[in-house]
Amino acid sequence: MQWTAGWWETVFMWAFLGLLAVFVAASIRGRGLTWTAAVLSGLVMFGLILWPAAVPSSVPATIGTPWLWAMINVGAVWCAFAFGTVVGCAYAVFIGGVFAVIRTMPQSASASLPVALEDAAFSTVMGLTICVTIGILRHAAQRVDSAAEAAIVQYRDAAAETAVSNERLRLDALLHDSVMTVLITAAQSGSTRERQASAKLAGSALERLDKQGTEAPEVAPATVTELAARIRFTVDDGVEDPEVLVSCDSPEHLVLPGEIVRAVFEATTEAVMNAARHSGATRCEVRVAGHKTAETARVAVSIKDNGTGFNPELVSDRRLGIRVSIIGRLDAVGGTADVISAPGAGTEVRLSWAGAAA
C-alpha cells in the first residue's frame, strides 16, 4: 500500500472489500448474487491490468507479486458463476496471460520469463479446473432438476387421469343404478299408481344427479407435508409470475381431516392467484406450519407477497374473492382467515385451524 496510487486503492481495494461484504450479504439473502459476482470478477481483472499504472517502476526489486494474484482463481469462479463455464474458462486463460506480462515488469519484481510463465500457468490451470468443476456440477444439478420436474409432471398427469377415471366410474354407477332403474320402471308401468311411483323414483334420481354435480368430492385425510406438496404442485403449474416459494415446517405424521385439507388448499391457492392477478408482485412466499399438542392438531398458512398492497376496509362487499373464497372457506370448517395489507406494503393472508387430528 505504501507504493500503490490512492485511486487504485480506492477502486480496487476498498470498493472491492465493500462489494465483497455485499456479496456475503447477498449469499445469505439468496438474491443479487449474479451482478455482484460479475462486478467482483471485473474488479479483479481490471485491478490487475492497471497495476503497472498504479505502482511506479522505481519500487524495490523485492516488492513481489501484486496481491490480486491471489484472487485470480476466485475471480474466475465469480465469472463462471455469473456468465457460465465457457466464459469463466476464457476469463481464467486471459487473466493468466495478463499476469504473465505484468510479472515480468519492475512493478512485480521483474521476474524472468520462465518464472512468469510458471506462475501464470499455475493460476490458469487452477482457474480452469475450478470452472470445469462448476460446469460439471451445474450440469448434474440441471439433469436432477429436469428428472424431478418430469417425475412431478408424470405424477400430476397420472393423478389427474386416476381422478377422472374414478369420477367416470362413479357417474357410470350412478347412471346405471338410478337412471336405468327409472327407465325400466317407467317402461313397465301400467297403472296410475305405478306411474306415480315411477315419477317419484325419477325425481329421486334427478336429485342424486344434481347432488353429484354440485357437491365437491370427498377428500381423503392428508398430512401437512402432503398439503404443502399439493399447494406447491398447483401453484407451480398455474402461476408463472410472481415467483412462488412454498416451505413447510411440520411433524411428518401430522394428519389433517379431509375437509380441512380441502378448505386450506383451496383458500391458499386462491390467495396465490389473487397475488398473481392483482398485486403486481414479483415474489410470493407460502409458509405452511403444523404442530400437535395432546389431541389437538394445528395448521397455519401464511401467504405473503411483495406487491402493491391495498386497504382491506375499502374493498366492496360485492367483491367475493376474499370474503367467500378465502375467509368463507375457513369459516365453514371452523378456522380463521385474516388479510393484512396496506398500500405499498404488500399483502399477507394468514390461515389457521385447530381441531382433532384425523
Side-chain angles (χ1 to χ4, degrees), residues 143-169:
R143 289 172 57 188
V144 171
D145 290 343
S146 298
E149 184 177 354
I152 290 172
V153 171
Q154 187 177 8
Y155 167 78
R156 187 182 302 152
D157 292 342
E161 290 177 3
T162 302
V164 171
S165 177
N166 292 339
E167 200 63 24
R168 284 174 176 169
L169 289 174

Side-chain angles (χ1 to χ4, degrees), residues 4-229:
T4 51
W7 60 267
W8 191 95
E9 292 178 5
T10 300
V11 177
F12 298 106
M13 186 172 69
W14 299 119
F16 176 86
L17 294 175
L19 196 60
L20 185 61
V22 173
F23 183 80
V24 173
S27 301
I28 297 173
R29 294 179 56 199
R31 299 177 62 184
L33 286 167
T34 302
W35 73 265
T36 49
V39 176
L40 282 167
S41 65
L43 285 176
V44 173
M45 171 74 75
F46 290 106
L48 197 59
I49 292 174
L50 294 175
W51 180 262
V55 178
S57 59
S58 58
V59 294
T62 57
I63 186 174
T65 56
W67 66 266
L68 273 177
W69 178 67
M71 302 300 296
I72 289 178
N73 296 330
V74 183
V77 171
W78 280 324
C79 186
F81 178 82
F83 303 109
T85 303
V86 175
V87 178
C89 290
Y91 177 99
V93 172
F94 181 79
I95 198 171
V98 170
F99 177 71
V101 174
I102 293 176
R103 187 74 174 89
T104 61
M105 295 182 177
Q107 292 90 336
S108 299
S110 299
S112 64
L113 184 59
V115 172
L117 292 176
E118 185 178 293
D119 290 346
F122 173 78
S123 63
T124 302
V125 170
M126 286 293 295
L128 289 174
T129 302
I130 297 173
C131 290
V132 171
T133 303
I134 291 174
I136 293 173
L137 294 176
R138 273 185 168 175
H139 182 65
Q142 289 172 356
R143 289 172 57 188
V144 171
D145 290 343
S146 298
E149 184 177 354
I152 290 172
V153 171
Q154 187 177 8
Y155 167 78
R156 187 182 302 152
D157 292 342
E161 290 177 3
T162 302
V164 171
S165 177
N166 292 339
E167 200 63 24
R168 284 174 176 169
L169 289 174
R170 292 177 60 192
L171 184 58
D172 289 345
L174 180 61
L175 289 173
H176 181 271
D177 295 344
S178 299
V179 178
M180 292 302 295
T181 302
V182 170
L183 292 176
I184 293 173
T185 303
Q188 296 177 348
S189 298
S191 64
T192 302
R193 182 177 179 182
E194 289 176 342
R195 286 193 291 270
Q196 289 176 346
S198 179
K200 185 176 181 181
L201 189 61
S204 177
L206 289 172
E207 183 179 350
R208 291 185 65 187
L209 285 171
D210 183 64
K211 185 177 181 181
Q212 173 75 12
T214 56
E215 287 191 355
E218 295 183 0
V219 179
T223 64
V224 175
T225 54
E226 289 173 342
L227 170 62

Side-chain angles (χ1 to χ4, degrees), residues 293-317:
T293 56
E295 297 301 321
T296 301
R298 300 179 183 274
V299 61
V301 181
S302 170
I303 306 98
K304 187 174 183 179
D305 65 65
N306 62 351
T308 56
F310 65 99
N311 188 343
E313 296 180 357
L314 300 181
V315 178
S316 171
D317 290 337

Side-chain angles (χ1 to χ4, degrees), residues 219-254:
V219 179
T223 64
V224 175
T225 54
E226 289 173 342
L227 170 62
R230 295 179 189 178
I231 294 172
R232 184 181 297 110
F233 293 161
T234 302
V235 299
D236 284 348
D237 188 52
V239 178
E240 295 183 357
D241 194 23
E243 177 187 17
V244 182
L245 303 176
V246 182
S247 60
C248 180
D249 180 16
S250 172
E252 186 175 355
H253 302 296
L254 178 55

Side-chain angles (χ1 to χ4, degrees), residues 284-299:
C284 182
E285 297 181 356
V286 180
R287 294 188 176 94
V288 184
H291 63 276
K292 186 177 181 180
T293 56
E295 297 301 321
T296 301
R298 300 179 183 274
V299 61

